[in-house]
Amino acid sequence: MLLSVENLIGGYGSTKILSKCSFQVAKGEVSVIVGPNGAGKSTAMKAVFGLIDLDSGSVEFDGTNITSLPTQARVKLGIAMVPQTNNVFTGLSVKENLEIGAYLRNDDYSESLMQIFELFPILKEKIDQTAGELSGGQRQQLALGRALVTNPKLLLLDEPTAGVSPKVMEDLFNQIIRIRDNGVGILIVEQNARKALSVADVGYVLVNGENRYTGSGNDLLANDDVRRSFLGG
């Protein structure tokens, strides 16, 4: 298993958001965390990236226990995260944003750039344009592209379709599937539970910081309790 998260308890200071939360991501698969607002979805993802303090539990990545590692060390191991907001440098060009993504690489990353331009052709078209001038969907593509320049084994996506149109959302999910098919493990936190579960190999429903339901995306979509409580019937 590429990522194994077991029994996380923690949050922000004295506020405990996660309560024995557990989930996994396999290589070349999409795992999705859904649930109501305040369920701890984004907090769980931040725990994987080393952005919150944990009282207990473990995070294992590619056979290594990384529970106590700082974020930069996790990036070096092959974890990349695309946050929901402030995920591009708006004052820099598309090219400069992508170059920042390669700051930890000491090799020739031109092949990675070619793959990113194949996946997101609009980024090549707008390579010299300032990121702040891009549309919301184009910014999300740039944020994904910058994360992919790090050549990650695991990609963490926090609400990747927030604020975009239905068509852009569909395009983004199609691109996410292509990234998965290239062997990258992907963990998605997504408010649009129905759409996210439709592409999920494995889904986790969190409520009050703990696992309520776990199963394949299709199984959760077919679960009457999940549909009634979290998918609008």
Side-chain angles (χ1 to χ4, degrees), residues 48-64:
V48 175
F49 208 49
L51 298 177
I52 69 165
D53 294 325
L54 295 173
D55 292 340
S56 62
S58 66
V59 181
E60 185 173 295
F61 175 68
D62 205 17
T64 300

Side-chain angles (χ1 to χ4, degrees), residues 68-200:
S68 301
L69 287 184
T71 295
Q72 183 160 321
R74 302 183 193 211
V75 174
K76 288 182 178 179
L77 289 175
I79 303 176
M81 180 176 175
V82 179
Q84 179 181 352
T85 59
N86 300 319
N87 53 21
V88 299
F89 295 97
T90 56
L92 300 180
S93 69
V94 169
K95 180 181 179 180
E96 289 167 335
N97 268 273
L98 294 173
E99 289 174 343
I100 288 174
Y103 76 103
L104 286 177
R105 294 186 61 168
N106 297 316
D107 60 337
D108 181 2
Y109 57 89
S110 57
E111 184 176 344
S112 294
L113 288 177
M114 290 173 56
Q115 292 172 345
I116 290 165
F117 292 146
E118 181 182 352
L119 190 63
F120 308 116
I122 191 66
L123 298 183
K124 187 173 184 179
E125 292 178 25
K126 297 181 178 290
I127 189 69
D128 294 318
Q129 191 165 330
T130 303
E133 299 174 350
L134 301 178
S135 69
Q138 290 166 357
R139 287 192 192 190
Q140 285 297 88
Q141 291 182 69
L142 177 56
L144 277 166
R146 194 179 70 215
L148 291 173
V149 174
T150 69
N151 197 26
K153 299 176 183 177
L154 175 66
L155 186 60
L156 310 176
L157 305 179
D158 190 3
E159 304 283 0
T161 66
V164 302
S165 69
K167 182 184 183 306
V168 171
M169 178 182 70
E170 191 71 27
D171 289 343
L172 283 171
F173 271 112
N174 287 337
Q175 289 156 342
I176 288 168
I177 291 170
R178 290 179 63 189
I179 295 168
R180 176 202 66 188
D181 291 345
N182 285 331
V184 179
I186 302 175
L187 177 65
I188 303 175
V189 165
E190 179 60 54
Q191 196 62 37
N192 190 325
R194 188 179 296 276
K195 181 60 183 176
L197 290 174
S198 73
V199 303

